[in-house]
Amino acid sequence: MDDSFLQKLTEAVFANLNNEQFGAEELAKIVGISRSQIHRKLQKLIGKSLTQFIREIRLVEAHKLLVDEIGTGSEIAYQVGFSSPAYFSKCFHEYFGYTPGNVKAKKKENQEFNSSGESTTIMPKYGKNAFLSEGDGQKGYDENKRLSVIMFTDIVGYTALMGTDEDRAFEVLSINREIH
């Protein structure tokens, strides 16, 4: 039931992704429960506020578009519902730890680090079926696509370490990946 709730919220956000006016009030109307009830339920399930939930979905989709080189950072900012490219860049940097302009470089680093050549971008996942742009054969999804499993881990102090000693930060990241 919790997974279907998160899936319903995620689908509603994706349906209104490029609408910069879409927010908590509009999502509450679509889902049919109050904004405060959604907020409490999200806090319980994933520890995020409703606005954080919406923003993170937008940022993850923006990251995918940047990796696929669909457009410039400013163009993508508008495509995912940010009315200001500067605010988009700030939020993106806070969430991913690098700017939208650095996505190509990070993609190249990840591909060099991952011997199989697959992207290893870390993104959040909400519920079993959230962010199903990769598809899983369910009705409404392209059967030629595949489901990708994404795991999120956090390295305490990683951003600060990157600012002071990049080599050590990459070593810590490498150790973390080996453990997992």
Side-chain angles (χ1 to χ4, degrees):
M1 190 165 185
D2 292 338
D3 285 341
S4 65
F5 172 75
L6 291 171
Q7 181 64 25
K8 186 174 183 180
L9 291 179
T10 302
E11 288 172 359
V13 173
F14 271 110
N16 293 281
L17 196 63
N18 64 352
N19 178 0
E20 65 186 57
Q21 301 301 317
F22 184 77
E25 288 296 326
E26 293 77 16
L27 183 57
K29 287 177 187 174
I30 290 171
V31 176
I33 58 177
S34 75
R35 177 181 169 170
S36 58
Q37 284 179 303
I38 297 172
H39 178 78
R40 283 192 299 273
K41 195 160 186 172
L42 282 175
Q43 283 292 329
K44 180 183 169 194
L45 294 173
I46 60 173
K48 304 274 184 194
S49 72
L50 184 51
T51 52
Q52 283 176 307
F53 178 78
I54 294 170
R55 186 181 316 122
E56 287 181 8
I57 290 173
R58 288 179 169 180
L59 290 170
V60 167
E61 186 63 21
H63 191 279
K64 289 178 187 177
L65 295 171
L66 287 164
V67 167
D68 293 341
E69 300 179 30
I70 301 298
T72 66
S74 295
E75 293 168 341
I76 290 172
Y78 293 116
Q79 287 178 18
V80 296
F82 283 85
S83 59
S84 164
Y87 180 65
F88 165 71
S89 185
K90 176 186 175 285
C91 292
F92 192 96
H93 185 268
E94 287 174 0
Y95 187 71
F96 289 105
Y98 50 92
T99 64
N102 291 336
V103 169
K104 279 186 188 177
K106 290 291 182 182
K107 179 182 174 184
K108 185 177 178 182
E109 283 177 20
N110 284 344
Q111 288 175 339
E112 288 172 358
F113 184 81
N114 184 352
S115 61
S116 67
E118 294 180 29
S119 176
T120 57
T121 304
I122 299 171
M123 291 182 271
K125 184 175 187 302
Y126 299 111
K128 277 194 288 192
N129 301 318
F131 303 114
L132 284 176
S133 61
E134 294 295 320
D136 70 346
Q138 290 186 11
K139 185 177 178 186
Y141 294 102
D142 185 345
E143 293 181 20
N144 294 323
K145 294 185 178 180
R146 63 181 169 82
L147 175 65
S148 294
V149 176
I150 300 167
M151 185 177 91
F152 176 81
T153 63
D154 188 22
I155 300 172
V156 177
Y158 181 76
T159 303
L161 186 57
M162 277 296 283
T164 58
D165 186 356
E166 281 188 29
D167 292 334
R168 177 68 183 137
F170 283 117
E171 184 180 326
V172 169
L173 180 61
S174 177
I175 292 168
N176 186 335
R177 287 187 178 174
E178 286 177 26
I179 290 170
H180 291 98

